[in-house]
Structure formats: C-alpha cells, structure tokens
C-alpha cells in the first residue's frame, strides 16, 4: 500500500519527494515578506515524523549549520518516515544577529503562543500550528548565550524507559542533564503534548564551533537510526556512553571586575576550588570564584568583564564523577576534523 502524501503549510509532499517551503511569518517595515525556511523530506516508507530545528534564538547559529549538513547527508536518501528541517525559526533575530525578537521577547518563552498576542506569541502560534504539531519527535538545537559557551550536552525531561530517554541515549553527547521544563519553551509545549523532545546545547552564540557542530550532526543521525528512520548502524563511530548529571548550578562573580579564568570548559573541579579570579583594573580588589560542588564545567563565560553576581561557570554534579570525566575525555579525543562528505 502506497504511503499517503504529507501536507505542511498548505504544501503537499509526495512519498520520496523533498520540498523546500517558505512559511510566511511577518512583514518588515519595508513591506518585505519574511519567511521561516523549511525543508521536508518525505520518505517512501512509514516511520516517525522528526522535526529538527535551529535558531529559535536568532544568534545561536551552530544549529543552522547542523541542519544544513543533515540535509546533505546521503543517509537521508533512504529515509523512513518524514524529516522536517528548519534551520532558522527566529528569522527576525537571525537577521539582526540577536537572541531576541524586535520587541525584546524571547521566542523560547512564548509557546504555545497566541494568534492575537505579542509578536513572539504570534510567531510561536504559527510555528506550533504549521510545523510543531505535525511532529512525533523533536530535536531542538541551541548554543550558549552571547559570550557564553557550552560543552556539548543534551537537556531533556527523562523518565526511565521513555522514548525521550531512548533518544538521549542514542544521541551520544558526553553529558545529559535531566532538566526541568521551562514554561513557555518549545520543549515545555511539546513534552506536555506527549512529543518526546531533546534540546542539544553546544558552543557559543554567533560562532561556528566545529567541535559542537560535527557531534551534533552525528547525534541527530544516531537518533534517527535508533528510531528506525535510517537503515543500518553507525559504522564510523558508535555513540559513547553519556553521563547523567544529577544537578547543576552556576558559580558567580563575587565582585565587579575583570575575570582571569583558571579552568577550561570540560574540566573536573572540586568543591571550593578556585575557578577564576576577578579584580578591578588596578588589582586593588580581588575576589575568587569558587566551585560550590565537585563536578564538571559544562558552561562558562567567554567575556572577561564581570558584574557582581554574574554567572561565570556552570558546574554539573554527578554521582560517579570519575565516569563523567572519562566520558568527556573520550568525547574530546574523538573530535577529529570531519569533512562534509562524512555526513
């Protein structure tokens, strides 16, 4: 029996077809129409409907490149099910190289949105109705905020034996955070509708970080294989076991000043260890940034200028910290340059 066509945003995609769609979202002051760019790959055989999206925060561009490489992968030529690929959701922020919408709202706090609400609410409602509600599984691609970088990590609400846990295990990031749902986020909306969703966090805003992009592409393909969307096994590299963090917290600047970091991203640290020192330009006043727990640095500020109380180091805590350290070392040692043809 032939598979049914797939319809999205008023367009019909036949089995075995790929189609790029421009979903109208708003107009600029100049009357120029803005669109959310979408590519749909509709496989000939039945399977899950996977949404992979980047750029909900307009300055988080690693996800844009992950989507581009995913769409160039030869593996998806024999896709089972349907792939909905959206490289840039927040087109306003992407054009302005900013996290936010023109009204300074965070699109990832606007879901489920409203057709009669704010600009953020209207875009969230459009994205929800036209794209998100079609998906059976979602991978949402993010980076650290401006001047902050994240170790590659998965954030998800994990229940033992759940589809979300299966996806997180397949992805192959070195760290998994069992993260609470944030109201208004895409993950909150989708999870409450019963759609399993992973958030991949890696790298820094407004930068292409190859050490974040290449594992992101491999991770998405691994999840698709685990779900039966792609044939065969990962031949080049199997996923390394991820370590589940049992919590995390931020170490903050004790005073205003200029930060001199003492540890790197991915470092193992001990409770009370000096992570960095903050001093005024003359060095008259100096304060130490101390780790509040034994753990691993999974995020950190890249800007040396710090205000008192500013979050500088994100420390994840683990029951088995030695295993977590090993997982991160193995992940880092695996990061050899990968040409596009590998994907």
């Amino acid at each position: 029996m032939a598979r049914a066509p797939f319809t999205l945003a008023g367009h019909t995609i036949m089995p075995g077809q790929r189609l790029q769609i421009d979903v109208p979202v708003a107009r600029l002051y100049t009357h120029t129409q803005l669109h959310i760019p979408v590519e749909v790959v509709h496989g000939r055989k039945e399977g899950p409907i996977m949404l992979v999206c980047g750029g909900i925060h307009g300055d988080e561009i690693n996800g844009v490149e992950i989507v581009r490489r995913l769409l160039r992968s030869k593996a998806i030529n024999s896709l089972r099910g349907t792939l909905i690929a959206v490289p840039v959701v927040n087109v306003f922020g992407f054009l302005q190289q900013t996290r936010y919408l023109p009204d300074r709202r965070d699109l990832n706090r606007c879901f489920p949105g409203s057709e009669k609400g704010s600009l953020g609410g209207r875009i969230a409602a459009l994205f929800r109705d036209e794209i998100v509600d079609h998906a059976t599984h979602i991978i949402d691609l993010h980076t650290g905020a401006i001047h902050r970088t994240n170790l590659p990590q998965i954030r998800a609400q994990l229940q033992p034996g759940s589809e979300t846990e299966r996806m997180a295990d397949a992805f192959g990031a070195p760290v998994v955070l069992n993260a609470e749902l944030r109201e208004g986020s895409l993950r909150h909306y989708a999870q409450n509708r019963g759609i399993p969703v992973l958030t991949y966090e890696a790298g820094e805003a407004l930068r292409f970080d190859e050490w974040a992009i290449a594992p992101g592409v491999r991770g998405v393909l691994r999840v698709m294989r685990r779900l039966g969307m792609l044939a065969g096994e990962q031949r080049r590299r199997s996923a390394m076991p991820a370590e589940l963090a049992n919590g995390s917290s931020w170490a903050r600047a004790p005073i205003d000043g200029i930060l001199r970091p003492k540890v790197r991203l991915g470092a193992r640290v001990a409770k009370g260890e000096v992570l960095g020192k903050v001093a005024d330009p003359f060095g008259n006043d100096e304060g130490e940034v101390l780790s509040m727990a034994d753990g691993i640095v999974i995020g950190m500020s890249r800007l040396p200028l710090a205000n008192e109380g500013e979050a500088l180091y994100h420390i994840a805590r683990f029951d088995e910290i030695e295993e977590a350290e090993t997982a991160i070392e193995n992940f880092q040692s695996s990061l050899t340059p990968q040409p596009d043809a590998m994907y």
Side-chain angles (χ1 to χ4, degrees):
M1 182 176 178
R3 190 181 184 203
F6 183 75
T7 301
L8 187 136
H11 296 264
T12 299
I13 304 96
M14 302 303 293
Q17 184 183 8
R18 297 175 67 144
L19 184 66
Q20 291 183 357
I21 300 169
D22 291 328
V23 180
V25 63
R27 289 188 183 273
L28 298 176
Y29 306 126
T30 60
H31 197 64
T32 302
Q33 180 72 57
L34 282 184
H35 302 84
I36 296 176
V38 181
E39 183 162 338
V40 177
V41 183
H42 190 45
R44 296 183 183 277
K45 297 182 179 181
E46 294 291 340
I49 302 171
M50 169 75 80
L51 167 61
V52 181
C53 60
I56 283 184
H57 295 134
D59 59 355
E60 298 183 1
I61 65 175
N62 278 337
V64 181
E65 178 64 4
I66 290 173
V67 171
R68 185 192 72 83
R69 294 190 192 181
L70 175 65
L71 290 170
R72 291 188 59 183
S73 170
K74 294 179 181 178
I76 67 172
N77 292 337
S78 56
L79 179 74
R80 293 175 179 263
T82 303
L83 172 64
I84 306 172
V86 185
V88 184
V89 179
N90 180 1
V91 289
F92 279 104
F94 188 71
L95 288 171
Q96 296 298 319
Q97 301 172 27
T98 178
R99 177 185 183 91
Y100 301 106
L101 293 162
D103 59 2
R104 297 295 297 170
R105 280 184 169 84
D106 183 337
L107 181 56
N108 208 30
R109 297 295 180 269
C110 294
F111 288 91
S114 169
E115 293 83 353
K116 297 182 179 180
S118 66
L119 176 62
R122 293 174 188 230
I123 295 175
L126 173 74
F127 189 59
R128 173 200 74 202
D129 291 341
E130 298 288 359
I131 298 171
V132 175
D133 286 351
H134 292 275
T136 61
H137 300 74
I138 298 175
I139 299 178
D140 185 20
L141 306 169
H142 287 261
T143 75
I146 190 74
H147 302 312
R148 290 184 183 175
T149 187
N150 282 332
L151 186 76
Q153 59 197 260
I154 288 293
R155 298 182 185 179
Q157 187 180 53
L158 302 176
Q159 299 293 335
S162 67
E163 188 81 335
T164 305
E165 185 181 61
R166 286 183 65 224
M167 292 169 64
D169 177 68
F171 195 99
V175 172
V176 176
L177 287 178
N178 190 2
E180 294 295 324
L181 298 173
R182 290 195 174 185
E183 188 171 355
S185 68
L186 172 62
R187 191 163 65 90
H188 181 270
Y189 170 73
Q191 201 78 47
N192 284 344
R193 282 182 54 86
I195 304 172
V197 53
L198 301 182
T199 297
Y200 176 61
E201 290 269 1
E204 183 180 356
L206 295 178
R207 297 290 183 272
F208 270 0
D209 300 300
E210 183 61 26
W211 53 266
I213 294 168
V217 179
R218 290 196 293 268
V220 173
L221 291 173
R222 287 190 186 109
V223 172
M224 294 176 73
R225 287 191 176 90
R226 179 67 61 88
L227 296 177
M229 298 180 71
L230 302 178
E233 298 294 329
Q234 180 74 20
R235 295 186 179 89
R236 299 185 187 278
R237 290 195 181 105
S238 59
M240 297 178 184
E243 289 300 317
L244 178 63
N246 59 29
S248 67
S249 52
W250 282 90
R252 299 180 179 275
I255 61 173
D256 304 305
I258 299 170
L259 172 68
R260 305 194 310 280
K262 299 294 183 183
V263 298
R264 57 176 174 78
L265 191 67
R268 176 180 176 178
V269 297
K271 183 177 181 179
E273 182 176 341
V274 177
L275 307 176
K277 295 183 178 182
V278 180
D280 66 29
F282 298 105
N284 296 326
D285 297 318
E286 184 172 84
E288 295 179 335
V289 185
L290 302 177
S291 176
M292 74 301 295
D294 296 342
I296 301 289
V297 178
I298 63 168
M300 61 183 292
S301 172
R302 295 290 296 268
L303 184 68
L305 312 179
N307 294 307
E308 183 177 350
E310 188 169 349
L312 299 179
Y313 294 92
H314 193 191
I315 310 298
R317 302 183 297 276
F318 300 86
D319 290 329
E320 302 293 340
I321 193 169
E322 288 80 8
E323 284 79 356
E325 183 179 30
T326 299
I328 290 167
E329 288 175 350
N330 289 341
F331 171 81
Q332 291 172 334
S333 67
S334 73
L335 296 177
T336 55
Q338 302 290 324
D340 283 356
M342 298 288 284
Y343 306 116

